[in-house]
Amino acid sequence: MREASVWPKEDGKFPFKQFLVDTFNILFKASLEIFRLVAIGIGIPDNAFDELFLDKPLSTFRLIHYPSWQGKHPQAAITEDGKVVTTPDHTDTPFMTLLHTFDFDGLEVMNSKGQWQPIKSRPNGFIMNIGDVLSRMTNGRFKATRHRVLDIGRDRYSVPFFNEPSFDADIGINWVNKFTKEGPEHVPEKYGPWYMHTVKHIKKFAEYKTLPEFDY
């Protein structure tokens, strides 16, 4: 689950690789600060989440291009409320996502009433999506953000930072109860095997369809 990034050849006009590496490090540190606030909010030690990210975390920083559908869009791209999507509704599997959408619209999240809410970008600001892992570890106190991306009729770009724990990090259910000593007993589970099973057998991502089964 860890592999080297593929970098384009640079012409010396802009330090592309260094800029992205520096941005990755800034976002990684910022996310750890957010996790400390989360920990304080649920009444556990502020550094409780730190150990999950200390040894080779699997976080990724991506540059994503959403082209508009050309010609007649497929029926599968039409939502129940009649809108056209480039990315259907889903929750992010990892811990948390920090996302910058520049000045592009198109991102919508489902609110507590089950309604789709457009998200406007803010200058020098980031959007935070709670992932499946954080939700399950906090016993649902933080709910994973259901979201989708609409076809805006032109090319759209965004840069999400997906914060993921280390492969062997314990992300088992009732994790918070290790600290609170309340509720059901914590059941340890490693992030790597859980992730591979989730994306292949539950979410059924196409790119993992032919992934062999691993005995961890």
Side-chain angles (χ1 to χ4, degrees):
M1 294 177 66
R2 287 181 62 87
E3 58 184 351
S5 298
V6 178
W7 298 101
K9 184 177 180 180
E10 298 185 29
D11 59 8
K13 296 181 180 179
F14 182 79
F16 182 78
K17 177 180 179 180
Q18 190 60 54
F19 178 81
L20 292 184
V21 170
D22 290 345
T23 304
F24 176 98
N25 290 330
I26 290 171
L27 292 174
F28 180 74
K29 292 178 181 178
S31 66
L32 293 184
E33 290 300 319
I34 294 173
F35 299 157
R36 293 185 181 110
L37 295 176
V38 170
I40 292 171
I42 58 178
I44 62 177
D46 64 353
N47 62 350
F49 292 108
D50 288 4
E51 64 179 17
L52 307 176
F53 301 90
L54 293 179
D55 183 26
K56 299 178 181 178
L58 302 174
S59 302
T60 57
F61 182 43
R62 304 178 188 175
L63 313 179
I64 300 183
H65 172 213
Y66 301 85
S68 178
W69 288 106
Q70 299 298 310
K72 184 176 176 58
H73 47 260
Q75 187 65 30
I78 304 176
T79 65
E80 293 181 355
D81 53 352
K83 295 184 178 181
V84 180
V85 296
T86 55
T87 304
D89 74 274
H90 65 286
T91 55
D92 292 340
T93 308
F95 209 83
M96 184 190 72
T97 305
L98 289 177
L99 172 71
H100 189 57
T101 59
F102 304 101
D103 61 345
F104 294 103
D105 294 328
L107 177 65
E108 293 187 339
V109 302
M110 181 167 285
N111 62 27
S112 59
K113 297 179 181 179
Q115 302 168 332
W116 287 107
Q117 182 75 37
I119 302 299
K120 296 291 184 181
S121 60
R122 296 182 179 181
N124 302 316
F126 283 86
I127 298 165
M128 184 180 78
N129 287 336
I130 296 169
D132 296 336
V133 174
L134 178 57
S135 181
R136 77 194 301 266
M137 290 178 67
T138 58
N139 304 338
R141 288 190 61 180
F142 290 86
K143 297 187 181 300
T145 309
R146 266 186 80 183
H147 55 287
R148 66 184 184 182
V149 179
L150 304 182
D151 187 341
I152 61 174
R154 61 190 176 106
D155 288 348
R156 180 181 182 277
Y157 298 88
S158 70
V159 283
F161 172 77
F162 298 99
N163 196 299
E164 303 188 53
S166 305
F167 185 93
D168 291 325
D170 175 17
I171 53 105
I173 58 173
N174 305 320
W175 179 86
V176 170
N177 298 352
K178 291 197 307 180
F179 304 92
T180 63
K181 309 301 181 183
E182 300 174 353
E185 183 179 356
H186 167 58
V187 181
E189 187 172 11
K190 291 183 178 181
Y191 174 66
W194 174 87
Y195 178 88
M196 302 298 273
H197 175 80
T198 298
V199 296
K200 181 177 181 179
H201 297 290
I202 299 178
K203 294 196 172 184
K204 298 181 179 180
F205 290 168
E207 60 266 39
Y208 293 94
K209 184 177 181 180
T210 59
L211 188 75
E213 300 295 337
F214 293 92
D215 182 9
Y216 300 101

